[in-house]
């Protein structure tokens, strides 16, 4: 299963040229700076008119961090065992003092919004994002771009979007990095990979035996896990799952973001939310769970990731919702990645599903068969999790894993090269200019899928959105074993993978490819590959190497 955004892609260049005359002109005395990353991705879409001037739109400003180079050095040092900074993570207050926007920065941005007529202005706890609402006319004037209505020729959706990259006064551009939410072209939906008549579904005892977590003598006790969600769940379903398998589970708490709480009437995404929680319970039941639920919008997404970082209430985060990078857009991707970097500096570990469309991650969103990867798995601050097909022994022990690829109708593990994020230092041995994904992998095939209880019935569900919470559960056990937060584990994973202990820590998956939809993908092989990363975890072996 994979939850993702359906988006319209981009207006042809002739149409943009024709629209240029419609952009409101700036006053001659007002120097403006264009926010280059904020152009809406509108390929294969037709402009059908103007948005009603009085239509309310909720958007967000992402403020610039200070001392960015020093932050990059800190993020490297905090994961370097040879550095005095190793695992000396920051509190939110310490991060704000060293790297966060100042109160003066916030005041300047808020003053700009107030002069523009915006209302409902809400500043995130770490001062990095400001959510606000304004009419279309107010936002057009504030950001010097028309906001048009569009029709996506692929999905048939109608949506609104800014016709050109927004611009802000020069003094405001000094504190504002991006504006998120001038369009609603991206909506998150899911394609639940429910598999009927499965002979061998994985249950908690099977997972613990196959991946070896039972040998760790850890339950997740004292650790807090966060879930990124855009839909709700029913606690009765979680309780039924726990009681069926005798799991002594910790509390499950909903954390509303920007007023969102879907639990009274969950939608189509309910199966994803319950899959995420139940997979973590299967391996690390005693952890405390915090289910963050946000509006399904760009502003809602950013607010959720900023709240996770500013609250610092969790140690590990599981992410099963995403979009191909071109659908997400550079401004939203960079803003969210910055929020996640804040969390990693505080010791939070993030795990995100790598997608279910092989190397053609935009296929179901735009119809494109071009190579693309999934976000936020492509963020360097996240561990991207790919998918395998797990084979068990007769006693439920680990037998083997191969690349998950069930063909066009069934899906395949995502993987490839980012077009937004450059390669981090720990990926230098992979000889790439841009970030590669995934980093690791785990069971994702619906034919060896997760047996869960959702919406009042038992289902077998697959997809990389089952593999991501499994890795989050493993990290939860590691937090307990090693006595604290671990932050971004990627540098550790790559050091192990590139060293002599790879076979101790990882099941190396060497067969299969993620070719899908007629686009040649990548092939699995010895060591790292853009299909299953370093492979799945050998719980005891990898635990000993992480410490």
């Amino acid at each position: 299963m994979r939850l993702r955004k359906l988006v319209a892609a981009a207006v042809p260049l002739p149409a943009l040229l024709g629209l240029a005359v419609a952009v409101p002109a700036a006053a001659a005395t007002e120097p403006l700076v264009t926010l280059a990353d904020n152009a809406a991705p509108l390929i294969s879409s037709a402009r059908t008119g103007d948005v009603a001037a009085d239509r309310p739109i909720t958007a967000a400003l992402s403020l610039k961090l200070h001392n960015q180079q020093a932050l990059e050095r800190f993020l490297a040092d905090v994961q370097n065992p040879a550095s005095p900074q190793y695992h000396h993570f920051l509190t939110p207050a310490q991060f704000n003092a060293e790297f966060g926007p100042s109160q003066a920065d916030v005041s300047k941005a808020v003053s700009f919004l107030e002069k523009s007529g915006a209302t409902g202005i809400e500043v995130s706890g770490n001062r990095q994002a400001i959510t606000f609402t304004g009419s279309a006319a107010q936002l057009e004037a504030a950001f010097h771009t028309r906001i048009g209505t569009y029709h996506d020729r692929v999905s048939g959706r109608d949506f609104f979007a800014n016709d050109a990259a927004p611009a802000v006064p020069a003094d405001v551009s000094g504190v504002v990095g991006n504006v998120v939410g001038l369009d609603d072209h991206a909506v998150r939906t899911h394609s639940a990979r429910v598999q009927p008549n499965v002979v061998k579904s994985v249950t908690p005892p099977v997972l613990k035996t196959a991946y070896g977590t039972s040998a760790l003598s850890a339950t997740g006790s004292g650790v807090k896990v966060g879930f990124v969600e855009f839909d709700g769940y029913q606690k009765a379903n979680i309780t039924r799952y726990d009681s069926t398998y005798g799991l002594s589970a910790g509390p499950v708490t909903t954390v509303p973001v920007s007023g969102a709480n879907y639990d009274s009437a969950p939608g189509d995404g309910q199966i994803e939310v319950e899959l995420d929680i139940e997979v973590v319970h299967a391996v690390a039941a005693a952890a405390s769970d915090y289910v963050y639920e946000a509006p399904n919008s760009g502003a809602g997404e950013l607010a959720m990731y900023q709240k996770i970082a500013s609250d610092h209430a969790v140690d590990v985060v599981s992410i099963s919702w995403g979009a191909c990078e071109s659908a997400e857009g550079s401004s939203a991707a960079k803003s969210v990645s910055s929020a996640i970097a804040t969390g990693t500096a505080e010791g939070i570990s993030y795990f995100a599903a790598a997608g279910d469309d092989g190397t053609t991650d935009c296929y179901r969103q735009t119809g494109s068969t071009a190579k693309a990867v999934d976000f936020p798995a492509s963020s360097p601050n996240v561990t991207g999790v790919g998918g395998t097909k797990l084979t068990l022994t007769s006693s439920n022990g680990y037998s083997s894993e191969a690349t998950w690829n069930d063909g066009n109708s069934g899906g395949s593990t995502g993987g490839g090269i980012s077009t937004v994020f450059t390669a981090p230092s720990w990926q230098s041995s992979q000889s790439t200019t841009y970030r590669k994904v995934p980093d690791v992998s785990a069971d994702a095939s619906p034919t060896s899928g997760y047996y869960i209880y959702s919406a009042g019935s038992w289902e077998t569900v697959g997809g990389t959105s089952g593999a991501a919470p499994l890795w989050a559960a493993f990290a939860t056990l590691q937090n307990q074993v090693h006595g604290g937060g671990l932050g971004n584990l990627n540098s550790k994973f790559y050091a192990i993978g590139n060293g002599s202990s790879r076979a101790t820590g990882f099941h190396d998956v060497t067969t299969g490819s993620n070719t899908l939809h007629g686009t040649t993908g990548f092939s699995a092989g010895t060591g790292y590959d853009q299909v299953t990363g370093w492979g799945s975890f050998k719980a005891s072996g990898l635990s000993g190497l992480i410490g």
Side-chain angles (χ1 to χ4, degrees), residues 189-343:
T189 185
H190 74 91
S191 52
R193 298 188 180 279
V194 178
Q195 184 77 13
N197 304 318
V198 175
V199 175
K200 195 68 173 179
S201 303
V202 291
T203 61
V206 171
L207 284 173
K208 291 175 182 178
T209 300
Y211 286 114
T213 61
S214 56
L216 295 177
S217 299
T219 61
S221 178
V223 184
K224 299 175 181 179
V225 182
F227 299 88
V228 167
E229 308 292 355
F230 296 95
D231 210 327
Y233 64 101
Q234 294 173 304
K235 285 191 176 182
N237 293 314
I238 309 302
T239 301
R240 174 68 179 274
Y241 181 84
D242 293 338
S243 62
T244 298
Y245 294 106
L247 303 175
S248 299
V252 181
T253 304
T254 299
V255 183
V257 179
S258 300
N261 187 325
Y262 305 105
D263 296 344
S264 61
D268 290 341
Q270 176 179 353
I271 193 170
E272 176 63 58
V273 184
E274 292 170 352
L275 170 69
D276 293 344
I277 298 169
E278 291 174 14
V279 170
V280 168
H281 280 200
V283 172
S288 299
D289 301 329
Y290 293 81
V291 184
Y292 288 80
E293 297 179 10
N296 199 336
S297 65
E301 178 186 40
L302 179 59
M304 173 151 48
Y305 283 100
Q306 291 291 12
K307 183 169 179 60
I308 289 171
S310 63
D311 287 356
H312 196 200
V314 299
D315 308 293
V316 179
V317 176
S318 177
I319 308 166
S320 292
W321 300 71
C324 69
E325 284 184 331
S326 64
E328 180 76 13
S330 293
S331 62
K334 290 180 179 179
S335 297
V336 169
S337 187
S338 179
I340 295 173
T342 302

Side-chain angles (χ1 to χ4, degrees), residues 116 164 180 245 268 361 481:
S116 302
V180 177
Y245 294 106
D268 290 341
D361 198 72
V481 168

Side-chain angles (χ1 to χ4, degrees), residues 2-8 55 152 155 157-160 183-190 230 295-298 301 321-324 327-328 364-365:
R2 184 77 182 105
L3 288 150
R4 52 177 68 246
K5 298 176 184 171
L6 287 181
V7 272
R55 176 172 181 167
D152 175 13
S155 69
R157 280 192 66 240
D158 293 321
F159 62 98
F160 68 81
D183 65 82
D184 70 343
H185 71 284
V187 293
R188 296 155 186 85
T189 185
H190 74 91
F230 296 95
N296 199 336
S297 65
E301 178 186 40
W321 300 71
C324 69
E328 180 76 13
R364 276 176 290 163
Q365 302 165 62

